[in-house]
């Protein structure tokens, strides 16, 4: 599988470790940076990686910042991206089965390397269920992206 990989300085060490791990698993990795632990802004690296996924140049993406939160927020701004911040095995599996997440977000400062490797392995091996209810929900997300509107109520 072709995987886009990106991080900021907070995720740099984990990115480098996962790059080797992914290569060892037989995947092709497109490294979108950063290339050192020097301070940088995560959108500068997350957006190009996510565009590669959204445009079909890579099948999936993995983006990493210190907590994974900023990378996830940024990734989900790219049309066609369904990014999930995963910190445990169950949510990782569900992000693929139910949500067909195409970008995995990780926190380089909040998880150990072995947990990160296990999450990546699960995420890559788990397929989307294709269940009608999940396809219907994803279609609603795509409609929001296409129109920038969503039916609302008059509350709040």
């Amino acid at each position: 599988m072709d995987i886009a990989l990106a991080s900021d300085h907070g995720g740099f060490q984990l990115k480098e470790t996962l790059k080797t791990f992914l290569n060892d698993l037989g995947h092709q990795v497109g490294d979108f940076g950063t290339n050192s632990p020097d301070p940088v802004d995560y959108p500068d690296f997350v957006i190009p990686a996510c565009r590669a996924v959204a445009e079909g140049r890579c099948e999936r993406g993995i983006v990493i910042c210190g907590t994974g939160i900023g990378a996830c927020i940024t990734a989900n701004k790219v049309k066609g991206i369904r990014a999930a911040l995963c910190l445990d095995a169950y949510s990782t599996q569900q992000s693929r089965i139910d949500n067909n997440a195409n970008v995995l977000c990780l926190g380089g400062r909040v998880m150990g390397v072995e947990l990160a490797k296990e999450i990546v392995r699960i995420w890559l091996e788990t397929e989307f269920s294709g269940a009608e209810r999940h396809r219907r929900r994803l279609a609603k997300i795509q409609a929001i992206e296409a129109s920038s509107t969503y039916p609302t109520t008059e509350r709040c």
Side-chain angles (χ1 to χ4, degrees), residues 60-71:
R60 294 198 201 160
I62 300 172
V63 297
I64 311 163
C65 67
T67 63
I69 297 168

Side-chain angles (χ1 to χ4, degrees), residues 25-60:
L25 291 176
H27 300 286
Q28 291 72 48
V29 177
D31 186 344
F32 287 79
T34 189
N35 298 311
S36 79
D38 296 334
V40 294
D41 299 329
Y42 51 82
D44 296 340
F45 304 94
V46 170
I47 293 293
C50 289
R51 284 187 178 146
V53 174
E55 294 168 3
R57 290 181 282 125
C58 293
E59 294 170 70
R60 294 198 201 160

Side-chain angles (χ1 to χ4, degrees), residues 35-120:
N35 298 311
S36 79
D38 296 334
V40 294
D41 299 329
Y42 51 82
D44 296 340
F45 304 94
V46 170
I47 293 293
C50 289
R51 284 187 178 146
V53 174
E55 294 168 3
R57 290 181 282 125
C58 293
E59 294 170 70
R60 294 198 201 160
I62 300 172
V63 297
I64 311 163
C65 67
T67 63
I69 297 168
C72 190
I73 291 169
T74 302
N76 279 308
K77 299 298 181 190
V78 177
K79 183 177 179 179
I81 295 301
R82 295 174 307 281
L85 173 59
C86 297
L87 302 172
D88 62 77
Y90 180 74
S91 62
T92 300
Q93 190 173 42
Q94 294 309 115
S95 79
R96 291 287 308 135
I97 291 172
D98 292 353
N99 308 112
N100 200 17
N102 54 8
V103 172
L104 173 65
C105 305
L106 300 172
R109 294 179 176 151
V110 298
M111 67 174 46
V113 170
E114 294 308 312
L115 176 59
K117 287 179 179 179
E118 180 66 6
I119 286 171
V120 167

Side-chain angles (χ1 to χ4, degrees), residues 125-137:
E125 292 175 359
T126 304
E127 295 297 323
F128 175 54
S129 72
E132 189 279 328
R133 69 184 187 278
H134 299 306
R135 288 193 321 268
R136 181 181 67 242
R137 293 166 188 161

